[in-house]
Amino acid sequence: MVRYRGFIAATVLCVLSVLAVTGCSEKPAVISAWPTANRERVVPQPLAPLIWPLTGLPATDRAAIAKRPLSVKIENSPQARPQTGLNSADVVYETVTEGGITRFNCIFQSTAPKTVGPVRSARLSDLWVVAQYNGLFFYSGASNSVTRAIKKTKLTDLSQDTGVSAPFSRSSQRSAPHNLFLDTKKAYAEAIKRGKPVSVQVPRLQYDPKSVESSNTIASVRIPFSTANTVDWTYDSARKVYVRQNNGRPHADAATGKQVAAKNVVVMWAKYTPASHDKVGSTTYRVELGGSGRVSVFRNGLRYDGTWSATRNTPPRFKDAQGKAIKLAPGNTWFQVVALNTNISMK
């Protein structure tokens, strides 16, 4: 019995010894600390599609969409028609000048044809338009009051009046003063020569390819700027554009021979105030293109009524009666700026 107990004790002691040795030889458990985040993980976002800021159409060159717009004053008297380059302008403003005729401020940015014109003198409305689009301003001539007003601003004035001549030339096919044209390539070169920036943050108009529902289907709109100038825009459903007639005749672009067309026609009612009179007694108007006013936007054969608002440095935005944005169809836009008492007709 004593020998048996000794055997058991020896066995237990051996087992304990083995366990002790085994325990000492086991590798310690590896415990990793939870990683500490120094910053939030950023998931790369896909680049936004490139869009021309003044047309809402797709662009392919990021540098090109920062190209500074050319703001060119173009005549619209009967002797000036057909003008060159109207269909290439992203945006056109038409306002009433002396004698009831109208004049254009054409904004070229996404496309710039070789030649545009005929170029004529500036008006007070341009103080708003050029600033709102941060344009390089090209014109020829101005009254003393308009010249003084321009000098008080920060507009980039590249007119013949300031000694700029290289981009301008006269055509032998027309009589003066209706024959002055601007070379757009030389226009940018002149700006660079004079130390003016040609790449800027170009303001954006508001666009949406989809039409908001509207019960106002309009086939045509007539705009009586004055007794001397009536404009008709008729919707071409096949091309989804409005085509223009001036005083009952199709208005053509001499660069292509095609009728002037627009994806958007925007009638803006604004305050016209007599500012001065020329030598023959015709009135120059101050046109208020800041603040707000009534607007009718025509796109895709539909009419949207509401209000416009703009500041000295931002182009117009449009809202309906419920405060919802009225957006333009991608493409070019003609702003038809009429006096507050003007009645347009539609059918």
Side-chain angles (χ1 to χ4, degrees):
M1 177 65 71
V2 172
R3 184 178 296 177
Y4 177 73
R5 288 178 179 174
F7 172 79
I8 292 174
T11 302
V12 171
L13 182 60
C14 181
V15 170
L16 291 174
S17 299
V18 170
L19 290 175
V21 171
T22 304
C24 292
S25 63
E26 284 184 352
K27 296 180 180 180
V30 177
I31 301 175
S32 298
W34 192 260
T36 301
N38 295 322
R39 58 177 179 168
E40 185 177 352
R41 184 185 177 194
V42 177
V43 179
Q45 296 295 319
L47 293 175
L50 296 180
I51 299 295
W52 288 107
L54 301 182
T55 66
L57 294 172
T60 58
D61 188 333
R62 189 168 298 276
I65 63 176
K67 181 173 64 174
R68 194 171 185 183
L70 301 179
S71 176
V72 187
K73 198 66 177 179
I74 294 181
E75 181 183 10
N76 190 38
S77 65
Q79 300 93 325
R81 302 185 203 119
Q83 296 92 337
T84 298
L86 294 183
N87 273 335
S88 296
D90 291 349
V91 173
V92 179
Y93 278 76
E94 183 171 16
T95 55
V96 178
T97 61
E98 299 82 1
I101 62 172
T102 60
R103 192 157 288 182
F104 306 137
N105 191 315
C106 297
I107 310 294
F108 300 92
Q109 203 252 342
S110 67
T111 57
K114 176 175 172 46
T115 305
V116 298
V119 179
R120 288 298 299 274
S121 54
R123 294 295 184 272
L124 293 173
S125 59
D126 300 314
L127 302 180
W128 290 98
V129 176
V130 181
Q132 288 173 350
Y133 292 87
N134 199 2
L136 298 167
F137 191 24
F138 290 88
Y139 64 96
S140 177
S143 67
N144 291 336
S145 60
V146 173
T147 298
R148 287 193 297 269
I150 291 174
K151 287 182 177 180
K152 291 179 181 179
T153 70
K154 296 181 180 179
L155 301 184
T156 302
D157 183 352
L158 294 169
S159 67
Q160 279 195 321
D161 304 50
T162 61
V164 174
S165 59
F168 295 99
S169 64
R170 293 201 177 269
S171 170
S172 60
Q173 299 179 0
R174 297 190 182 198
S175 59
H178 317 289
N179 64 345
L180 184 67
F181 291 84
L182 177 75
D183 183 310
T184 59
K185 186 175 181 179
K186 291 181 179 179
Y188 279 110
E190 185 70 23
I192 293 171
K193 176 183 174 182
R194 292 174 177 265
K196 308 300 182 182
V198 294
S199 292
V200 295
Q201 183 69 38
V202 181
R204 290 179 176 269
L205 297 179
Q206 293 181 308
Y207 291 93
D208 190 339
K210 297 179 182 179
S211 296
V212 177
E213 184 178 349
S214 173
S215 59
N216 296 319
T217 303
I218 302 296
S220 64
V221 54
R222 169 165 289 186
I223 306 168
F225 282 94
S226 69
T227 56
N229 196 81
T230 297
V231 171
D232 292 280
W233 292 95
T234 303
Y235 186 61
D236 182 337
S237 58
R239 297 169 55 200
K240 295 183 179 180
V241 297
Y242 295 87
V243 292
R244 177 182 166 103
Q245 287 187 316
N246 210 129
N247 288 337
R249 295 182 178 182
H251 193 166
D253 184 340
T256 61
K258 294 181 179 180
Q259 192 169 0
V260 172
K263 287 292 290 185
N264 306 283
V265 176
V266 178
V267 181
M268 291 175 57
W269 281 265
K271 185 177 181 180
Y272 278 74
T273 305
S276 62
H277 301 277
D278 62 18
K279 295 179 181 179
V280 297
S282 296
T283 302
T284 295
Y285 295 99
R286 180 177 289 105
V287 184
E288 197 69 30
L289 292 176
S292 62
R294 176 185 165 201
V295 73
S296 287
V297 176
F298 299 86
R299 56 162 289 180
N300 299 108
L302 301 172
R303 185 188 95 215
Y304 303 89
D305 294 326
T307 57
W308 63 266
S309 61
T311 69
R312 179 67 68 181
N313 299 311
T314 58
R317 299 287 186 265
F318 315 109
K319 291 184 178 180
D320 63 17
Q322 287 71 45
K324 187 176 180 179
I326 302 173
K327 297 185 179 181
L328 304 171
N332 65 326
T333 301
W334 277 65
F335 289 96
Q336 308 286 264
V337 184
V338 298
L340 297 176
N341 61 352
T342 301
N343 293 316
I344 65 175
S345 57
M346 296 159 284
K347 59 182 180 180

